[in-house]
Amino acid sequence: MKQRLNIGITCYPSLGGSGVVATELGKLLAELGHSVHFITHSMPFRLGGYHKNIYYHEVETTDYHAFKYPPYDLSLAAKMAQVAKMQNLDILHVHYAIPHAVCAYIAKGMVGGSLKVVTTLHGTDITILAQDESMSDLIRLGINNSDAVTAVSLDLIRETRERLNITRDIDLTYNFVDKRVYYPRDCSKYRCDFAPRGEKILMHVSNFRPVKRVGDVVDVFRRVNEKIPSRLVFIGEGPEMARTMTRVKEMGLSERVLFLGKQDEVAELLSVADIMLLPSEKESFGLVALEAMACGVPTIGSMTGGIPEVVTHGETGYLTEVGDTKAMADFALQLLGDNELYERMSKACIHRARNDFCNDLIMKQYEDIYFRVLNECKERVLSVE
Ligand code: GMT
């Protein structure tokens, strides 16, 4: 019988792909019988409610009068160490090098050698933070002192090596979707709301950061809508939201564009889309493209970062140069204008999501990594004896 582990998970608990992946991972590990302890500053948004084998430990900052800024990172490290001792953690799995891998390094120093740290890199820590010299030394410290490091795409592994001069092993563990949640749903109720005259539906889901190039989404939509009557549905919110709304208004498209804001459960909403748009400047993986794919929705986006590892150009969507909104619109028109092609691509999407990115497969990879680092430790003890 397989050993049941005590696993601590730290992630950014608010909206974002990394938080989603970490939370779903925790839920699935708990289903497999492991005890999972989330150590975060607030309840991960996809966790919701009680789950067997899942425990939540809130990190609280210390409001000591001498502190100009409450030292959240130290509070997190202290909480990690406390939970590790009290719950006898085998593994501390942290998502993002900064600050989580560094906090885990401190916690490990407080607890002793038996705690193993696994760090998963999701992208922006490497692609954005590592550009700052002072940060890159810190990121390197977190990465090099983890017992295992995983990254969500080959492109991210390459970039981590190049930008940070990292030579250690990094495991590739793609993001995943739970096939019991992400599948083509009956979405007729949404279709009537979003596209009452039977228009095509284009969708974009993001945190509206500049890296997502939301302006390109509007531009692609404008071009498509000129030829095929369509609607655009935005899910999420963030810094570029107001500018996007203004742009939509100026283009006279307000009637055809819907801003739904933050939505916790997107599986049902995704099924209503005909096309997902992901024209990002950079994307280490593009979880939303995978979630859409699992619902049978092809993505049209940019050929950048890890997106080509998720979306196969010509098979499960189309990819163009970053910013080439004309080419993206042309591909969308080709796809929306050809039912046979659309059906074929939609089926290929479901097949690929289920086969290459299914929860069972990726879960096994994470479990194998956990057992590997624990066994490496035992082997080292035996060889010293
Ligand atoms: O894309 C974001 O701005 C959010 C960020 C996050 O922290 O969740 O997403 C990153 O991690 C996701 C999960 O691994 C990936 O799917 C996203 O591609 C990645 N974002 C970027 O690389 C910009």
Side-chain angles (χ1 to χ4, degrees), residues 191 199-204 217-218 220-225 228-234 256 258 272-277 297 300 328-329 332-333 336:
R191 210 161 244 289
E199 300 96 324
K200 296 293 183 190
I201 298 177
L202 279 64
M203 190 175 274
H204 174 78
V217 173
V218 179
V220 173
F221 172 71
R222 178 186 59 80
R223 290 170 186 273
V224 172
N225 184 51
I228 297 180
S230 305
R231 297 274 176 156
L232 174 61
V233 178
F234 277 115
R256 309 194 78 81
L258 204 60
V272 81
D274 292 298
I275 285 176
M276 176 60 64
L277 294 175
V297 180
I300 295 183
M328 289 183 201
L333 288 166
L336 295 174

PDB file of all heavy atoms in Angstrom, residues 191 199-204 217-218 220-225 228-234 256 258 272-277 297 300 328-329 332-333 336:
ATOM      1  N   ARG A 191     -26.119  30.775 -23.577  1.00  0.00           N
ATOM      2  CA  ARG A 191     -26.130  31.189 -24.988  1.00  0.00           C
ATOM      3  C   ARG A 191     -27.269  32.191 -25.255  1.00  0.00           C
ATOM      4  O   ARG A 191     -27.084  33.185 -25.931  1.00  0.00           O
ATOM      5  CB  ARG A 191     -26.233  29.958 -25.902  1.00  0.00           C
ATOM      6  CG  ARG A 191     -25.567  30.188 -27.219  1.00  0.00           C
ATOM      7  CD  ARG A 191     -25.234  28.940 -27.975  1.00  0.00           C
ATOM      8  NE  ARG A 191     -23.804  28.772 -28.143  1.00  0.00           N
ATOM      9  CZ  ARG A 191     -23.034  29.503 -28.932  1.00  0.00           C
ATOM     10  NH1 ARG A 191     -23.542  30.490 -29.620  1.00  0.00           N
ATOM     11  NH2 ARG A 191     -21.750  29.261 -29.036  1.00  0.00           N
ATOM     12  N   GLU A 199     -25.612  34.732 -32.417  1.00  0.00           N
ATOM     13  CA  GLU A 199     -24.283  35.160 -32.840  1.00  0.00           C
ATOM     14  C   GLU A 199     -23.208  34.185 -32.345  1.00  0.00           C
ATOM     15  O   GLU A 199     -23.437  33.422 -31.409  1.00  0.00           O
ATOM     16  CB  GLU A 199     -23.953  36.558 -32.272  1.00  0.00           C
ATOM     17  CG  GLU A 199     -24.887  37.653 -32.684  1.00  0.00           C
ATOM     18  CD  GLU A 199     -25.972  37.909 -31.632  1.00  0.00           C
ATOM     19  OE1 GLU A 199     -26.436  36.935 -30.997  1.00  0.00           O
ATOM     20  OE2 GLU A 199     -26.365  39.069 -31.453  1.00  0.00           O
ATOM     21  N   LYS A 200     -22.024  34.263 -32.932  1.00  0.00           N
ATOM     22  CA  LYS A 200     -20.881  33.487 -32.446  1.00  0.00           C
ATOM     23  C   LYS A 200     -20.357  34.166 -31.177  1.00  0.00           C
ATOM     24  O   LYS A 200     -20.501  35.390 -31.013  1.00  0.00           O
ATOM     25  CB  LYS A 200     -19.761  33.448 -33.493  1.00  0.00           C
ATOM     26  CG  LYS A 200     -20.167  32.737 -34.779  1.00  0.00           C
ATOM     27  CD  LYS A 200     -20.405  31.266 -34.540  1.00  0.00           C
ATOM     28  CE  LYS A 200     -20.730  30.536 -35.841  1.00  0.00           C
ATOM     29  NZ  LYS A 200     -21.196  29.160 -35.605  1.00  0.00           N
ATOM     30  N   ILE A 201     -19.731  33.368 -30.313  1.00  0.00           N
ATOM     31  CA  ILE A 201     -19.230  33.940 -29.050  1.00  0.00           C
ATOM     32  C   ILE A 201     -17.706  33.781 -28.950  1.00  0.00           C
ATOM     33  O   ILE A 201     -17.178  32.660 -29.005  1.00  0.00           O
ATOM     34  CB  ILE A 201     -19.907  33.280 -27.838  1.00  0.00           C
ATOM     35  CG1 ILE A 201     -21.423  33.549 -27.886  1.00  0.00           C
ATOM     36  CG2 ILE A 201     -19.305  33.790 -26.527  1.00  0.00           C
ATOM     37  CD1 ILE A 201     -22.216  32.886 -26.780  1.00  0.00           C
ATOM     38  N   LEU A 202     -17.031  34.919 -28.827  1.00  0.00           N
ATOM     39  CA  LEU A 202     -15.596  34.914 -28.562  1.00  0.00           C
ATOM     40  C   LEU A 202     -15.421  35.239 -27.081  1.00  0.00           C
ATOM     41  O   LEU A 202     -16.201  36.025 -26.533  1.00  0.00           O
ATOM     42  CB  LEU A 202     -14.875  35.968 -29.423  1.00  0.00           C
ATOM     43  CG  LEU A 202     -14.572  35.554 -30.877  1.00  0.00           C
ATOM     44  CD1 LEU A 202     -15.835  35.318 -31.681  1.00  0.00           C
ATOM     45  CD2 LEU A 202     -13.718  36.612 -31.566  1.00  0.00           C
ATOM     46  N   MET A 203     -14.417  34.626 -26.458  1.00  0.00           N
ATOM     47  CA  MET A 203     -14.262  34.822 -25.008  1.00  0.00           C
ATOM     48  C   MET A 203     -12.808  35.105 -24.656  1.00  0.00           C
ATOM     49  O   MET A 203     -11.892  34.632 -25.325  1.00  0.00           O
ATOM     50  CB  MET A 203     -14.746  33.554 -24.282  1.00  0.00           C
ATOM     51  CG  MET A 203     -14.866  33.703 -22.789  1.00  0.00           C
ATOM     52  SD  MET A 203     -15.566  32.214 -22.032  1.00  0.00           S
ATOM     53  CE  MET A 203     -17.316  32.504 -22.172  1.00  0.00           C
ATOM     54  N   HIS A 204     -12.626  35.894 -23.609  1.00  0.00           N
ATOM     55  CA  HIS A 204     -11.274  36.107 -23.077  1.00  0.00           C
ATOM     56  C   HIS A 204     -11.362  36.070 -21.558  1.00  0.00           C
ATOM     57  O   HIS A 204     -12.231  36.713 -20.971  1.00  0.00           O
ATOM     58  CB  HIS A 204     -10.715  37.459 -23.536  1.00  0.00           C
ATOM     59  CG  HIS A 204      -9.395  37.790 -22.909  1.00  0.00           C
ATOM     60  ND1 HIS A 204      -8.204  37.224 -23.332  1.00  0.00           N
ATOM     61  CD2 HIS A 204      -9.069  38.606 -21.877  1.00  0.00           C
ATOM     62  CE1 HIS A 204      -7.208  37.695 -22.593  1.00  0.00           C
ATOM     63  NE2 HIS A 204      -7.702  38.527 -21.703  1.00  0.00           N
ATOM     64  N   VAL A 217      -7.447  41.711 -27.982  1.00  0.00           N
ATOM     65  CA  VAL A 217      -8.691  40.911 -27.947  1.00  0.00           C
ATOM     66  C   VAL A 217      -9.806  41.712 -28.605  1.00  0.00           C
ATOM     67  O   VAL A 217     -10.547  41.197 -29.464  1.00  0.00           O
ATOM     68  CB  VAL A 217      -9.077  40.570 -26.475  1.00  0.00           C
ATOM     69  CG1 VAL A 217     -10.436  39.892 -26.426  1.00  0.00           C
ATOM     70  CG2 VAL A 217      -8.010  39.705 -25.826  1.00  0.00           C
ATOM     71  N   VAL A 218      -9.898  42.988 -28.221  1.00  0.00           N
ATOM     72  CA  VAL A 218     -10.957  43.848 -28.774  1.00  0.00           C
ATOM     73  C   VAL A 218     -10.749  44.015 -30.281  1.00  0.00           C
ATOM     74  O   VAL A 218     -11.712  43.968 -31.063  1.00  0.00           O
ATOM     75  CB  VAL A 218     -10.962  45.226 -28.063  1.00  0.00           C
ATOM     76  CG1 VAL A 218     -12.045  46.133 -28.634  1.00  0.00           C
ATOM     77  CG2 VAL A 218     -11.161  45.048 -26.561  1.00  0.00           C
ATOM     78  N   VAL A 220      -9.234  41.978 -32.421  1.00  0.00           N
ATOM     79  CA  VAL A 220      -9.591  40.740 -33.145  1.00  0.00           C
ATOM     80  C   VAL A 220     -11.113  40.643 -33.238  1.00  0.00           C
ATOM     81  O   VAL A 220     -11.674  40.355 -34.314  1.00  0.00           O
ATOM     82  CB  VAL A 220      -9.021  39.486 -32.419  1.00  0.00           C
ATOM     83  CG1 VAL A 220      -9.528  38.204 -33.068  1.00  0.00           C
ATOM     84  CG2 VAL A 220      -7.498  39.517 -32.403  1.00  0.00           C
ATOM     85  N   PHE A 221     -11.775  40.919 -32.124  1.00  0.00           N
ATOM     86  CA  PHE A 221     -13.234  40.826 -32.118  1.00  0.00           C
ATOM     87  C   PHE A 221     -13.855  41.780 -33.143  1.00  0.00           C
ATOM     88  O   PHE A 221     -14.756  41.405 -33.886  1.00  0.00           O
ATOM     89  CB  PHE A 221     -13.781  41.126 -30.712  1.00  0.00           C
ATOM     90  CG  PHE A 221     -15.270  41.227 -30.692  1.00  0.00           C
ATOM     91  CD1 PHE A 221     -16.057  40.099 -30.861  1.00  0.00           C
ATOM     92  CD2 PHE A 221     -15.907  42.458 -30.567  1.00  0.00           C
ATOM     93  CE1 PHE A 221     -17.440  40.190 -30.901  1.00  0.00           C
ATOM     94  CE2 PHE A 221     -17.278  42.553 -30.596  1.00  0.00           C
ATOM     95  CZ  PHE A 221     -18.054  41.414 -30.759  1.00  0.00           C
ATOM     96  N   ARG A 222     -13.355  43.027 -33.173  1.00  0.00           N
ATOM     97  CA  ARG A 222     -13.902  44.022 -34.115  1.00  0.00           C
ATOM     98  C   ARG A 222     -13.817  43.492 -35.554  1.00  0.00           C
ATOM     99  O   ARG A 222     -14.785  43.539 -36.316  1.00  0.00           O
ATOM    100  CB  ARG A 222     -13.116  45.335 -33.986  1.00  0.00           C
ATOM    101  CG  ARG A 222     -13.539  46.431 -34.943  1.00  0.00           C
ATOM    102  CD  ARG A 222     -12.617  47.631 -34.855  1.00  0.00           C
ATOM    103  NE  ARG A 222     -11.218  47.333 -35.147  1.00  0.00           N
ATOM    104  CZ  ARG A 222     -10.708  47.209 -36.377  1.00  0.00           C
ATOM    105  NH1 ARG A 222     -11.495  47.329 -37.421  1.00  0.00           N
ATOM    106  NH2 ARG A 222      -9.430  46.943 -36.547  1.00  0.00           N
ATOM    107  N   ARG A 223     -12.670  42.934 -35.882  1.00  0.00           N
ATOM    108  CA  ARG A 223     -12.465  42.426 -37.245  1.00  0.00           C
ATOM    109  C   ARG A 223     -13.404  41.252 -37.546  1.00  0.00           C
ATOM    110  O   ARG A 223     -13.952  41.146 -38.633  1.00  0.00           O
ATOM    111  CB  ARG A 223     -11.014  41.958 -37.430  1.00  0.00           C
ATOM    112  CG  ARG A 223      -9.995  43.086 -37.440  1.00  0.00           C
ATOM    113  CD  ARG A 223      -8.601  42.475 -37.375  1.00  0.00           C
ATOM    114  NE  ARG A 223      -7.548  43.471 -37.238  1.00  0.00           N
ATOM    115  CZ  ARG A 223      -6.962  44.095 -38.251  1.00  0.00           C
ATOM    116  NH1 ARG A 223      -7.308  43.827 -39.488  1.00  0.00           N
ATOM    117  NH2 ARG A 223      -6.009  44.978 -38.032  1.00  0.00           N
ATOM    118  N   VAL A 224     -13.557  40.355 -36.564  1.00  0.00           N
ATOM    119  CA  VAL A 224     -14.417  39.177 -36.788  1.00  0.00           C
ATOM    120  C   VAL A 224     -15.874  39.621 -36.919  1.00  0.00           C
ATOM    121  O   VAL A 224     -16.593  39.212 -37.850  1.00  0.00           O
ATOM    122  CB  VAL A 224     -14.264  38.157 -35.624  1.00  0.00           C
ATOM    123  CG1 VAL A 224     -15.282  37.033 -35.733  1.00  0.00           C
ATOM    124  CG2 VAL A 224     -12.847  37.591 -35.600  1.00  0.00           C
ATOM    125  N   ASN A 225     -16.281  40.488 -36.023  1.00  0.00           N
ATOM    126  CA  ASN A 225     -17.677  40.941 -35.974  1.00  0.00           C
ATOM    127  C   ASN A 225     -18.099  41.677 -37.248  1.00  0.00           C
ATOM    128  O   ASN A 225     -19.270  41.696 -37.614  1.00  0.00           O
ATOM    129  CB  ASN A 225     -17.857  41.818 -34.728  1.00  0.00           C
ATOM    130  CG  ASN A 225     -19.280  42.255 -34.537  1.00  0.00           C
ATOM    131  OD1 ASN A 225     -20.196  41.434 -34.565  1.00  0.00           O
ATOM    132  ND2 ASN A 225     -19.484  43.560 -34.383  1.00  0.00           N
ATOM    133  N   ILE A 228     -18.719  38.308 -39.424  1.00  0.00           N
ATOM    134  CA  ILE A 228     -19.666  37.330 -38.870  1.00  0.00           C
ATOM    135  C   ILE A 228     -20.224  37.932 -37.574  1.00  0.00           C
ATOM    136  O   ILE A 228     -19.449  38.228 -36.657  1.00  0.00           O
ATOM    137  CB  ILE A 228     -18.962  35.979 -38.550  1.00  0.00           C
ATOM    138  CG1 ILE A 228     -18.408  35.337 -39.823  1.00  0.00           C
ATOM    139  CG2 ILE A 228     -19.909  35.018 -37.847  1.00  0.00           C
ATOM    140  CD1 ILE A 228     -17.691  33.999 -39.615  1.00  0.00           C
ATOM    141  N   PRO A 229     -21.551  38.124 -37.489  1.00  0.00           N
ATOM    142  CA  PRO A 229     -22.107  38.730 -36.260  1.00  0.00           C
ATOM    143  C   PRO A 229     -21.682  37.937 -35.026  1.00  0.00           C
ATOM    144  O   PRO A 229     -21.892  36.717 -34.966  1.00  0.00           O
ATOM    145  CB  PRO A 229     -23.619  38.647 -36.461  1.00  0.00           C
ATOM    146  CG  PRO A 229     -23.802  38.425 -37.929  1.00  0.00           C
ATOM    147  CD  PRO A 229     -22.586  37.736 -38.447  1.00  0.00           C
ATOM    148  N   SER A 230     -21.058  38.631 -34.069  1.00  0.00           N
ATOM    149  CA  SER A 230     -20.476  37.936 -32.905  1.00  0.00           C
ATOM    150  C   SER A 230     -20.685  38.724 -31.631  1.00  0.00           C
ATOM    151  O   SER A 230     -21.088  39.890 -31.658  1.00  0.00           O
ATOM    152  CB  SER A 230     -18.967  37.746 -33.112  1.00  0.00           C
ATOM    153  OG  SER A 230     -18.710  37.076 -34.310  1.00  0.00           O
ATOM    154  N   ARG A 231     -20.387  38.078 -30.558  1.00  0.00           N
ATOM    155  CA  ARG A 231     -20.393  38.726 -29.232  1.00  0.00           C
ATOM    156  C   ARG A 231     -19.052  38.403 -28.568  1.00  0.00           C
ATOM    157  O   ARG A 231     -18.477  37.335 -28.814  1.00  0.00           O
ATOM    158  CB  ARG A 231     -21.506  38.148 -28.358  1.00  0.00           C
ATOM    159  CG  ARG A 231     -22.886  38.398 -28.917  1.00  0.00           C
ATOM    160  CD  ARG A 231     -23.390  39.738 -28.466  1.00  0.00           C
ATOM    161  NE  ARG A 231     -24.688  40.021 -29.076  1.00  0.00           N
ATOM    162  CZ  ARG A 231     -25.560  40.852 -28.559  1.00  0.00           C
ATOM    163  NH1 ARG A 231     -25.294  41.502 -27.431  1.00  0.00           N
ATOM    164  NH2 ARG A 231     -26.696  41.083 -29.154  1.00  0.00           N
ATOM    165  N   LEU A 232     -18.612  39.321 -27.708  1.00  0.00           N
ATOM    166  CA  LEU A 232     -17.366  39.097 -26.971  1.00  0.00           C
ATOM    167  C   LEU A 232     -17.687  39.068 -25.485  1.00  0.00           C
ATOM    168  O   LEU A 232     -18.326  39.981 -24.962  1.00  0.00           O
ATOM    169  CB  LEU A 232     -16.368  40.226 -27.280  1.00  0.00           C
ATOM    170  CG  LEU A 232     -15.060  40.256 -26.495  1.00  0.00           C
ATOM    171  CD1 LEU A 232     -14.235  38.989 -26.725  1.00  0.00           C
ATOM    172  CD2 LEU A 232     -14.213  41.477 -26.906  1.00  0.00           C
ATOM    173  N   VAL A 233     -17.248  38.002 -24.805  1.00  0.00           N
ATOM    174  CA  VAL A 233     -17.486  37.886 -23.364  1.00  0.00           C
ATOM    175  C   VAL A 233     -16.137  37.937 -22.641  1.00  0.00           C
ATOM    176  O   VAL A 233     -15.259  37.113 -22.906  1.00  0.00           O
ATOM    177  CB  VAL A 233     -18.221  36.562 -23.022  1.00  0.00           C
ATOM    178  CG1 VAL A 233     -18.415  36.426 -21.509  1.00  0.00           C
ATOM    179  CG2 VAL A 233     -19.571  36.492 -23.738  1.00  0.00           C
ATOM    180  N   PHE A 234     -15.996  38.911 -21.743  1.00  0.00           N
ATOM    181  CA  PHE A 234     -14.789  39.029 -20.927  1.00  0.00           C
ATOM    182  C   PHE A 234     -15.069  38.471 -19.543  1.00  0.00           C
ATOM    183  O   PHE A 234     -16.073  38.810 -18.913  1.00  0.00           O
ATOM    184  CB  PHE A 234     -14.413  40.502 -20.732  1.00  0.00           C
ATOM    185  CG  PHE A 234     -13.630  41.103 -21.873  1.00  0.00           C
ATOM    186  CD1 PHE A 234     -14.180  42.125 -22.637  1.00  0.00           C
ATOM    187  CD2 PHE A 234     -12.343  40.681 -22.147  1.00  0.00           C
ATOM    188  CE1 PHE A 234     -13.453  42.712 -23.663  1.00  0.00           C
ATOM    189  CE2 PHE A 234     -11.600  41.253 -23.178  1.00  0.00           C
ATOM    190  CZ  PHE A 234     -12.160  42.275 -23.934  1.00  0.00           C
ATOM    191  N   ARG A 256     -22.288  44.787 -27.943  1.00  0.00           N
ATOM    192  CA  ARG A 256     -21.882  43.425 -28.313  1.00  0.00           C
ATOM    193  C   ARG A 256     -20.836  42.826 -27.374  1.00  0.00           C
ATOM    194  O   ARG A 256     -20.411  41.696 -27.562  1.00  0.00           O
ATOM    195  CB  ARG A 256     -21.354  43.410 -29.759  1.00  0.00           C
ATOM    196  CG  ARG A 256     -22.305  44.073 -30.746  1.00  0.00           C
ATOM    197  CD  ARG A 256     -21.934  43.739 -32.161  1.00  0.00           C
ATOM    198  NE  ARG A 256     -22.358  42.399 -32.550  1.00  0.00           N
ATOM    199  CZ  ARG A 256     -23.579  42.085 -32.931  1.00  0.00           C
ATOM    200  NH1 ARG A 256     -24.526  43.003 -32.959  1.00  0.00           N
ATOM    201  NH2 ARG A 256     -23.867  40.853 -33.295  1.00  0.00           N
ATOM    202  N   LEU A 258     -19.602  41.966 -23.402  1.00  0.00           N
ATOM    203  CA  LEU A 258     -20.089  41.750 -22.042  1.00  0.00           C
ATOM    204  C   LEU A 258     -18.896  41.594 -21.095  1.00  0.00           C
ATOM    205  O   LEU A 258     -17.994  40.794 -21.363  1.00  0.00           O
ATOM    206  CB  LEU A 258     -20.893  40.450 -22.054  1.00  0.00           C
ATOM    207  CG  LEU A 258     -21.948  40.211 -21.025  1.00  0.00           C
ATOM    208  CD1 LEU A 258     -23.023  41.286 -21.109  1.00  0.00           C
ATOM    209  CD2 LEU A 258     -22.574  38.844 -21.274  1.00  0.00           C
ATOM    210  N   VAL A 272     -19.706  27.825 -23.360  1.00  0.00           N
ATOM    211  CA  VAL A 272     -20.563  28.637 -24.218  1.00  0.00           C
ATOM    212  C   VAL A 272     -19.754  29.302 -25.342  1.00  0.00           C
ATOM    213  O   VAL A 272     -20.313  29.736 -26.355  1.00  0.00           O
ATOM    214  CB  VAL A 272     -21.313  29.697 -23.365  1.00  0.00           C
ATOM    215  CG1 VAL A 272     -20.443  30.894 -23.066  1.00  0.00           C
ATOM    216  CG2 VAL A 272     -22.587  30.148 -24.035  1.00  0.00           C
ATOM    217  N   ALA A 273     -18.443  29.355 -25.167  1.00  0.00           N
ATOM    218  CA  ALA A 273     -17.616  30.067 -26.157  1.00  0.00           C
ATOM    219  C   ALA A 273     -17.448  29.241 -27.434  1.00  0.00           C
ATOM    220  O   ALA A 273     -17.440  28.008 -27.407  1.00  0.00           O
ATOM    221  CB  ALA A 273     -16.251  30.360 -25.561  1.00  0.00           C
ATOM    222  N   ASP A 274     -17.329  29.948 -28.553  1.00  0.00           N
ATOM    223  CA  ASP A 274     -16.940  29.277 -29.797  1.00  0.00           C
ATOM    224  C   ASP A 274     -15.421  29.340 -29.949  1.00  0.00           C
ATOM    225  O   ASP A 274     -14.804  28.413 -30.462  1.00  0.00           O
ATOM    226  CB  ASP A 274     -17.614  29.961 -30.991  1.00  0.00           C
ATOM    227  CG  ASP A 274     -19.115  29.746 -30.963  1.00  0.00           C
ATOM    228  OD1 ASP A 274     -19.541  28.573 -31.048  1.00  0.00           O
ATOM    229  OD2 ASP A 274     -19.867  30.718 -30.790  1.00  0.00           O
ATOM    230  N   ILE A 275     -14.857  30.450 -29.490  1.00  0.00           N
ATOM    231  CA  ILE A 275     -13.401  30.613 -29.589  1.00  0.00           C
ATOM    232  C   ILE A 275     -12.890  31.306 -28.330  1.00  0.00           C
ATOM    233  O   ILE A 275     -13.509  32.249 -27.826  1.00  0.00           O
ATOM    234  CB  ILE A 275     -13.030  31.459 -30.831  1.00  0.00           C
ATOM    235  CG1 ILE A 275     -13.192  30.610 -32.099  1.00  0.00           C
ATOM    236  CG2 ILE A 275     -11.601  32.007 -30.746  1.00  0.00           C
ATOM    237  CD1 ILE A 275     -12.953  31.358 -33.378  1.00  0.00           C
ATOM    238  N   MET A 276     -11.757  30.828 -27.829  1.00  0.00           N
ATOM    239  CA  MET A 276     -11.070  31.515 -26.725  1.00  0.00           C
ATOM    240  C   MET A 276      -9.942  32.340 -27.336  1.00  0.00           C
ATOM    241  O   MET A 276      -9.213  31.854 -28.208  1.00  0.00           O
ATOM    242  CB  MET A 276     -10.485  30.454 -25.767  1.00  0.00           C
ATOM    243  CG  MET A 276      -9.673  30.994 -24.626  1.00  0.00           C
ATOM    244  SD  MET A 276     -10.583  32.096 -23.539  1.00  0.00           S
ATOM    245  CE  MET A 276     -11.827  30.992 -22.880  1.00  0.00           C
ATOM    246  N   LEU A 277      -9.812  33.591 -26.897  1.00  0.00           N
ATOM    247  CA  LEU A 277      -8.734  34.452 -27.411  1.00  0.00           C
ATOM    248  C   LEU A 277      -7.662  34.626 -26.340  1.00  0.00           C
ATOM    249  O   LEU A 277      -7.964  34.988 -25.202  1.00  0.00           O
ATOM    250  CB  LEU A 277      -9.294  35.818 -27.814  1.00  0.00           C
ATOM    251  CG  LEU A 277     -10.268  35.813 -29.002  1.00  0.00           C
ATOM    252  CD1 LEU A 277     -10.845  37.214 -29.221  1.00  0.00           C
ATOM    253  CD2 LEU A 277      -9.594  35.327 -30.284  1.00  0.00           C
ATOM    254  N   VAL A 297     -13.343  23.926 -26.785  1.00  0.00           N
ATOM    255  CA  VAL A 297     -13.256  25.271 -27.377  1.00  0.00           C
ATOM    256  C   VAL A 297     -11.827  25.560 -27.843  1.00  0.00           C
ATOM    257  O   VAL A 297     -10.906  25.615 -27.013  1.00  0.00           O
ATOM    258  CB  VAL A 297     -13.682  26.343 -26.327  1.00  0.00           C
ATOM    259  CG1 VAL A 297     -13.596  27.740 -26.926  1.00  0.00           C
ATOM    260  CG2 VAL A 297     -15.079  26.055 -25.805  1.00  0.00           C
ATOM    261  N   ILE A 300      -7.402  30.826 -30.092  1.00  0.00           N
ATOM    262  CA  ILE A 300      -6.598  31.565 -31.058  1.00  0.00           C
ATOM    263  C   ILE A 300      -5.754  32.531 -30.245  1.00  0.00           C
ATOM    264  O   ILE A 300      -6.287  33.279 -29.409  1.00  0.00           O
ATOM    265  CB  ILE A 300      -7.475  32.285 -32.098  1.00  0.00           C
ATOM    266  CG1 ILE A 300      -8.197  31.217 -32.924  1.00  0.00           C
ATOM    267  CG2 ILE A 300      -6.623  33.206 -32.989  1.00  0.00           C
ATOM    268  CD1 ILE A 300      -9.049  31.733 -34.038  1.00  0.00           C
ATOM    269  N   MET A 328      -4.946  36.736 -36.539  1.00  0.00           N
ATOM    270  CA  MET A 328      -5.798  36.040 -35.548  1.00  0.00           C
ATOM    271  C   MET A 328      -7.257  36.096 -35.997  1.00  0.00           C
ATOM    272  O   MET A 328      -7.977  35.094 -35.940  1.00  0.00           O
ATOM    273  CB  MET A 328      -5.658  36.687 -34.158  1.00  0.00           C
ATOM    274  CG  MET A 328      -4.312  36.406 -33.514  1.00  0.00           C
ATOM    275  SD  MET A 328      -4.199  37.105 -31.854  1.00  0.00           S
ATOM    276  CE  MET A 328      -2.422  37.193 -31.657  1.00  0.00           C
ATOM    277  N   ALA A 329      -7.681  37.279 -36.473  1.00  0.00           N
ATOM    278  CA  ALA A 329      -9.071  37.425 -36.926  1.00  0.00           C
ATOM    279  C   ALA A 329      -9.313  36.547 -38.159  1.00  0.00           C
ATOM    280  O   ALA A 329     -10.371  35.906 -38.284  1.00  0.00           O
ATOM    281  CB  ALA A 329      -9.365  38.885 -37.238  1.00  0.00           C
ATOM    282  N   ALA A 332      -9.841  33.099 -37.045  1.00  0.00           N
ATOM    283  CA  ALA A 332     -11.152  32.971 -36.385  1.00  0.00           C
ATOM    284  C   ALA A 332     -12.258  32.878 -37.438  1.00  0.00           C
ATOM    285  O   ALA A 332     -13.164  32.037 -37.346  1.00  0.00           O
ATOM    286  CB  ALA A 332     -11.389  34.159 -35.460  1.00  0.00           C
ATOM    287  N   LEU A 333     -12.161  33.707 -38.473  1.00  0.00           N
ATOM    288  CA  LEU A 333     -13.195  33.706 -39.523  1.00  0.00           C
ATOM    289  C   LEU A 333     -13.204  32.381 -40.278  1.00  0.00           C
ATOM    290  O   LEU A 333     -14.266  31.829 -40.584  1.00  0.00           O
ATOM    291  CB  LEU A 333     -12.952  34.883 -40.484  1.00  0.00           C
ATOM    292  CG  LEU A 333     -13.273  36.261 -39.882  1.00  0.00           C
ATOM    293  CD1 LEU A 333     -12.694  37.385 -40.732  1.00  0.00           C
ATOM    294  CD2 LEU A 333     -14.787  36.446 -39.713  1.00  0.00           C
ATOM    295  N   LEU A 336     -14.802  29.811 -37.843  1.00  0.00           N
ATOM    296  CA  LEU A 336     -16.232  30.020 -37.603  1.00  0.00           C
ATOM    297  C   LEU A 336     -17.058  29.821 -38.871  1.00  0.00           C
ATOM    298  O   LEU A 336     -18.262  29.562 -38.801  1.00  0.00           O
ATOM    299  CB  LEU A 336     -16.475  31.434 -37.040  1.00  0.00           C
ATOM    300  CG  LEU A 336     -15.873  31.716 -35.664  1.00  0.00           C
ATOM    301  CD1 LEU A 336     -16.058  33.182 -35.277  1.00  0.00           C
ATOM    302  CD2 LEU A 336     -16.501  30.812 -34.601  1.00  0.00           C
TER     303      LEU A 336
END
